[in-house]
Amino acid sequence: MRAIRLARAGGPDVLALHEVDTAVPGPGQILIRHEAIGLNFIDIYQRTGLYPLACPTGLGLEGAGIVEAIGEEVTRFQVGDRAAYGTGPIGAYAEAHVVDANRAVRVPADVSLRTAAAVMLKGMTSEFLARRVFHVKQGDAVLIHAAAGGVGLILCQWLRSLGATVIGTVGDESKARIARAHGCDHVILYKTEDIAGRVKTLTDGLGCAVVYDSVGRDTLEASLASLRRRGLLVSFGNASGPVPPIEPLRLSRGGSLFLTRPTLFDYVATTEELDQSASALFGMIRSGAIKVEIGQTFRLDQVREAHEALAGRQTTGSTLLIP
């Protein structure tokens, strides 16, 4: 089969297409023949070495397809089942991938495999952010950075369904139109507008109950300044670079603020949690409350171009590799 490998951390040029043997699933494992593979910012963090990997290695955590083979002791899947996964193991950038059966989920018949590949990691991230990191309730004002991105578009819709007032930041007017179409009540153009100032105006001076920040270094101060008293900053990404250290007194002076740095892997740590999160996500998609935006697709041999587009914030919605 064809698979992407990297011998060292670095820029997109380290990604190379290779012919490799198709792996055989061991006990408790399944082999999924991919129909589509999801790209995520964590892939870039791992490729660059921000999140170090032992090289040589594959890349990618998310994909969907058909179960082609099963290992011993597997009762959760049968050959021919439609399956998807969003938390690895590393190596999804390939025509097929071996995954632990208890880390994959069945894809409902009325959800396409491309949709599943586009939303497993991003959609379950949105689920735990909206429902478990902070209990968003009707009337809460929330701020979402990168509102037209992969997580952003799903999260906007999820929060809107909960009755929140959704404020999103985007880079240009074309992305603003997309964000509005996916649940944003108000859009801030971060390149030309004062984010915190606009938030305070939109919330009658109170600020937001929660800020979801996947951008990192460049938006930290604006995020903290956009919170209401006792508000929560959820820092869950580093698109612009890692967030610098924050003194606890900074949170106190901002109004007894809270800060958390969660990761999906801790919120789907058990098979039961994984199933519950995926079930909630597929339920939202099937009900029509969440419409999945696949903004762009690339062939597997175009993986370098895909990484350049994602890192350059030139994408909207989800990005897929098609093997």
Side-chain angles (χ1 to χ4, degrees):
M1 70 176 188
R2 299 185 308 157
I4 299 298
R5 294 288 186 264
L6 59 156
R8 57 181 175 81
D13 59 295
V14 302
L15 300 170
L17 186 65
H18 291 267
E19 289 284 342
V20 301
D21 291 335
T22 301
V24 176
Q29 296 180 324
I30 59 176
L31 174 67
I32 298 176
R33 179 66 60 173
H34 288 144
E35 180 167 314
I37 302 146
L39 267 70
N40 298 281
F41 257 100
I42 191 172
D43 303 350
I44 293 174
Y45 305 154
Q46 291 171 331
R47 187 251 299 157
T48 60
L50 178 62
Y51 295 175
L53 296 176
C55 293
T57 181
L59 199 64
L61 295 168
E62 175 179 50
I66 303 297
V67 176
E68 189 170 272
I70 62 175
E72 296 177 1
E73 304 170 7
V74 172
T75 58
R76 186 172 164 84
F77 291 95
Q78 295 181 341
V79 171
D81 284 345
R82 306 165 83 245
Y85 60 95
T87 58
I90 288 285
Y93 289 10
E95 291 179 327
H97 194 34
V98 167
V99 181
D100 287 345
N102 61 6
R103 302 311 298 163
V105 300
R106 291 177 181 269
V107 179
D110 52 355
V111 175
S112 77
L113 289 172
R114 287 198 178 193
T115 294
V119 300
M120 283 299 293
L121 192 150
K122 290 175 279 290
M124 291 193 300
T125 295
S126 298
E127 181 276 323
F128 88 78
L129 291 176
R131 303 202 314 162
R132 292 187 281 159
V133 167
F134 184 86
H135 182 64
V136 176
K137 62 183 184 300
Q138 176 122 10
D140 279 343
V142 301
L143 176 65
I144 303 172
H145 289 293
V151 172
L153 291 183
I154 298 170
L155 186 57
C156 284
Q157 295 174 84
W158 206 310
L159 294 171
R160 182 69 178 275
S161 76
L162 296 175
T165 298
V166 181
I167 305 169
T169 71
V170 299
D172 56 48
E173 195 54 55
S174 65
K175 291 188 176 183
R177 288 192 292 272
I178 295 171
R180 292 188 188 100
H182 289 78
C184 257
D185 296 289
H186 308 284
V187 179
I188 299 171
L189 300 176
Y190 70 85
K191 293 180 181 178
T192 58
E193 297 185 88
D194 172 14
I195 294 172
R198 281 274 287 137
V199 166
K200 290 299 177 69
T201 299
L202 293 169
T203 59
D204 296 325
L206 296 177
C208 290
V210 58
V211 173
Y212 296 104
D213 191 340
S214 62
V215 177
R217 181 181 58 209
D218 290 354
T219 48
L220 172 66
E221 290 302 322
S223 294
L224 290 170
S226 295
L227 286 166
R228 73 184 186 192
R229 184 175 286 114
R230 302 192 302 275
L232 171 66
L233 170 55
V234 184
S235 175
F236 68 102
N238 312 284
S240 66
V243 171
I246 300 174
E247 293 184 0
L249 275 176
R250 173 70 179 83
L251 302 176
S252 173
R253 292 167 182 153
S256 298
L257 305 177
F258 294 87
L259 168 66
T260 186
R261 181 58 171 89
T263 176
L264 170 64
F265 305 94
D266 289 323
Y267 282 81
V268 292
T270 67
T271 303
E272 181 181 13
E273 289 173 333
L274 174 69
D275 285 343
Q276 290 173 348
S277 183
S279 177
L281 171 61
F282 289 141
M284 292 290 281
I285 293 170
R286 297 167 76 188
S287 73
I290 288 178
K291 294 178 174 58
V292 179
E293 180 83 18
I294 299 174
Q296 45 283 310
T297 62
F298 296 85
R299 298 189 313 272
L300 189 59
D301 61 6
Q302 295 177 310
V303 65
R304 294 180 181 180
E305 293 94 320
H307 268 237
E308 289 168 353
L310 190 61
R313 302 179 76 173
Q314 299 164 7
T315 62
T316 58
S318 297
T319 303
L320 294 180
L321 287 179
I322 307 300

